[in-house]
Amino acid sequence: MKYIMVAIWSAIFGEILGYIVSQLNAGTYSFVGVAVIAIIVGEVALVAIPAISGSATPKETSSEQ
């Protein structure tokens, strides 16, 4: 379920950002292209960020003597 929600919100925010950037650069706006790129970036971030953060946490050592 979280993958679907990330895809939906990535598409929404990607469309907003893509529209603003295309208007500032006087470029063309592609609805489908922006949505696909935003969904891919969102899903990669969903998988990569916890993997990177999880490997950065220090290992707990037992202090039992």
Side-chain angles (χ1 to χ4, degrees), residues 3 10 12-14 20 24 27-28 37 47 50 62:
Y3 296 105
S10 295
I12 291 171
F13 289 134
I20 292 171
L24 289 174
T28 59
I37 291 172
V47 173
S62 63

Side-chain angles (χ1 to χ4, degrees), residues 1-11 39 42-51:
M1 183 68 180
K2 69 179 176 180
Y3 296 105
I4 296 170
M5 291 306 297
V6 166
I8 291 169
W9 282 107
S10 295
I39 291 171
E43 296 293 333
V44 167
L46 178 66
V47 173
I49 291 174

Side-chain angles (χ1 to χ4, degrees), residues 1-60:
M1 183 68 180
K2 69 179 176 180
Y3 296 105
I4 296 170
M5 291 306 297
V6 166
I8 291 169
W9 282 107
S10 295
I12 291 171
F13 289 134
E15 293 298 332
I16 294 168
L17 185 62
Y19 179 77
I20 292 171
V21 170
S22 70
Q23 293 300 312
L24 289 174
N25 290 329
T28 59
Y29 174 67
S30 171
F31 179 78
V32 176
V34 170
V36 169
I37 291 172
I39 291 171
I40 291 171
V41 169
E43 296 293 333
V44 167
L46 178 66
V47 173
I49 291 174
I52 292 170
S53 297
S55 66
T57 59
K59 305 288 185 215
E60 290 188 26

